[in-house]
């Protein structure tokens, strides 16, 4: 089962008060049903199908007919079709469905908004497995007006959702890992949150380690490049018979630079301090080598 399927399976088994169930069913019916003489909802998830059946039964004492068929074209999954043919107007009115956006009482407080988003997730959303791919949660919706309404509900929880127009439909999506984790928490998917956060923390830690390793390697590469340039300057001085023009301290720094070409400035300053008894700091050594570089630059410019 996909990660999306696992989340939907978990959410489908949660218990809530009737008011929340009505808001959840409003999202499911408002987005899924066909506008004719019946309510017809199609889903690929058996747990979602059982959830919808249970909601109709507990709220309205209505028992939808359920049929199963194969998916269209190349879709090999089974489709669960739920149909309600009686008391349609009463059900739609009680669910606040008479326009693209549901009536205010369906989403009048935070718990009802959570329930509405939960229902919306069950029938229109998918979320990537954080272990296998990039972080991404998306809702597939029918109109811009409804997409803006859903975005408003999501961003009421500071989820930073955005809208994308794709073909004849609209997608409301979230890409930030922490925000997706927050959404799963909002709809009550506790197990999914724990799994998601574990993977997210592991990936973040791994990425941080890689960045540190890359940074350290870059520092090593720069140190080697700098040391090679310093050695070339010293060799130029010797070839130009100008080495003797260096001061005693500069000559000492040059000799040790050539003797220990792979040492960093810090390591080289420690070696000089230990072997000569003349204590020198990293910055002091840098200053001496920099003076040698400037001297070599002047000689090269004259040549």
């Amino acid at each position: 089962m996909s990660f999306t399927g696992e989340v939907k399976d978990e959410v489908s088994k949660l218990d809530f008060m009737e008011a929340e169930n009505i808001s959840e069913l409003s999202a499911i019916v408002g987005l899924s049903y066909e506008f004719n003489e019946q309510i017809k909802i199609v889903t690929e998830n058996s747990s979602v199908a059982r959830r919808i059946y249970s909601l109709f039964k507990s709220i309205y004492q209505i028992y939808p007919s359920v049929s199963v068929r194969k998916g269209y074209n190349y879709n090999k999954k089974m489709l669960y079709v739920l149909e309600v043919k009686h008391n349609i107007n009463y059900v739609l009115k009680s669910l606040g469905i008479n326009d693209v956006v549901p009536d205010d009482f369906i989403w009048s407080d935070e718990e009802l908004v959570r329930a509405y988003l939960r229902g919306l997730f069950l029938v229109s959303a998918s979320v990537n497995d954080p272990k296998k791919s990039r972080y991404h949660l998306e809702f597939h919706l029918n109109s811009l007006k409804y997409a803006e309404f859903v975005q408003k509900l999501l961003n009421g929880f500071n989820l930073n959702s955005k809208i994308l127009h794709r073909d004849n439909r609209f997608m409301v999506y979230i890409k930030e890992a922490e925000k997706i984790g927050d959404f799963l928490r909002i709809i009550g998917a506790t197990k999914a949150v724990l799994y998601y956060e574990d993977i997210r923390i592991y990936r973040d830690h791994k990425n941080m380690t890689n960045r540190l390793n890359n940074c350290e390697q870059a520092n090593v590469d720069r140190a080697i490049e700098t040391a090679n340039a310093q050695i070339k300057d010293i060799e130029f001085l010797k070839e130009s018979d100008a080495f003797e023009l260096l001061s005693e301290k500069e000559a000492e720094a040059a000799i040790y630079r050539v003797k220990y070409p792979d040492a960093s400035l810090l390591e080289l300053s420690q070696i000089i301090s230990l072997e000569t008894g003349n204590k020198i700091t990293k910055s002091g050594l840098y200053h001496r080598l920099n003076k040698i570089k400037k001297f070599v630059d002047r000689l090269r410019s004259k040549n």
Side-chain angles (χ1 to χ4, degrees), residues 73-112:
N73 299 328
Y74 297 104
N75 189 347
K76 301 298 183 180
K77 295 182 179 179
M78 304 303 293
L79 299 178
Y80 301 87
V81 183
L82 295 93
E83 296 176 282
V84 175
K85 301 180 180 180
H86 305 288
N87 299 324
I88 305 301
N89 290 334
Y90 168 72
V91 171
L92 296 181
K93 183 177 180 180
S94 69
L95 293 177
I97 301 173
N98 54 40
D99 195 1
V100 174
V101 175
D103 291 340
D104 293 355
F105 73 87
I106 291 296
W107 47 281
S108 58
D109 63 42
E110 183 176 309
E111 292 307 313
L112 296 183

Side-chain angles (χ1 to χ4, degrees), residues 49-62:
R50 286 192 294 270
R51 175 72 167 189
I52 297 170
Y53 184 92
S54 176
L55 290 175
F56 272 107
K57 177 182 175 182
S58 63
I59 298 172
Y60 301 111
Q61 291 73 54
I62 291 176

Side-chain angles (χ1 to χ4, degrees), residues 184-198:
L184 296 175
R185 194 175 292 107
I186 287 166
I187 64 174
T190 305
K191 292 180 181 178
V193 170
L194 294 176
Y195 170 82
Y196 195 90
E197 291 299 324
D198 281 347

Side-chain angles (χ1 to χ4, degrees), residues 41 64-65 100 103 115-116 123 147 159-160 168 193 200 204 219 247 251 261 263 271 285:
I41 305 170
S65 63
V100 174
D103 291 340
Y116 192 87
V123 293
L159 298 181
N160 194 29
N168 295 323
V193 170
R200 183 181 69 82
D204 288 350
N219 290 336
S247 69
I271 291 171
L285 179 60

Side-chain angles (χ1 to χ4, degrees), residues 91-288:
V91 171
L92 296 181
K93 183 177 180 180
S94 69
L95 293 177
I97 301 173
N98 54 40
D99 195 1
V100 174
V101 175
D103 291 340
D104 293 355
F105 73 87
I106 291 296
W107 47 281
S108 58
D109 63 42
E110 183 176 309
E111 292 307 313
L112 296 183
V113 173
R114 290 172 182 266
Y116 192 87
L117 291 175
R118 186 162 50 245
L120 201 62
F121 177 80
L122 290 176
V123 293
S124 72
S126 63
V127 57
N128 288 354
D129 188 336
K131 184 184 293 184
K132 298 179 181 178
S133 57
R134 68 190 189 283
Y135 302 115
H136 188 78
L137 167 69
E138 64 183 33
F139 298 83
H140 294 275
L141 309 172
N142 297 323
S143 71
L144 177 59
K145 183 178 180 180
Y146 189 60
E148 291 173 341
F149 168 70
V150 172
Q151 182 186 40
K152 174 185 175 182
L153 296 185
L154 291 169
N155 291 349
F157 293 98
N158 298 313
L159 298 181
N160 194 29
S161 64
K162 302 183 186 304
I163 298 176
L164 177 66
H165 188 189
R166 178 179 290 173
D167 298 327
N168 295 323
R169 295 172 67 83
F170 294 85
M171 182 175 75
V172 178
Y173 66 92
I174 303 172
K175 282 189 171 295
E176 298 172 55
E178 288 188 19
K179 303 299 184 182
I180 296 174
D182 289 342
F183 174 80
L184 296 175
R185 194 175 292 107
I186 287 166
I187 64 174
T190 305
K191 292 180 181 178
V193 170
L194 294 176
Y195 170 82
Y196 195 90
E197 291 299 324
D198 281 347
I199 300 300
R200 183 181 69 82
I201 292 171
Y202 168 77
R203 287 184 63 178
D204 288 350
H205 177 73
K206 183 178 180 181
N207 290 337
M208 181 180 292
T209 301
N210 289 338
R211 285 194 295 272
L212 291 174
N213 289 338
N214 291 338
C215 181
E216 183 177 348
Q217 184 59 48
N219 290 336
V220 170
D221 292 342
R222 282 195 296 271
I224 292 173
E225 183 178 347
T226 300
N228 289 336
Q230 292 165 346
I231 291 172
K232 287 182 180 179
D233 287 343
I234 295 166
E235 289 174 347
F236 174 80
L237 288 177
K238 292 180 179 179
E239 292 170 359
S240 304
D241 295 325
F243 190 84
E244 300 301 327
L245 298 177
L246 296 177
S247 69
E248 182 179 344
K249 291 182 178 180
E250 292 166 358
E252 180 182 69
I255 292 170
Y256 274 90
R257 174 75 286 175
V258 174
K259 186 177 180 181
Y260 298 97
D262 297 329
S264 67
L265 280 180
L266 177 60
E267 293 169 339
L268 194 58
S269 65
Q270 292 171 343
I271 291 171
I272 294 173
S273 299
L274 182 64
E275 292 190 3
T276 66
N278 300 323
K279 185 172 179 59
I280 183 172
T281 63
K282 174 184 174 181
S283 60
L285 179 60
Y286 170 80
H287 179 68
R288 294 182 190 179

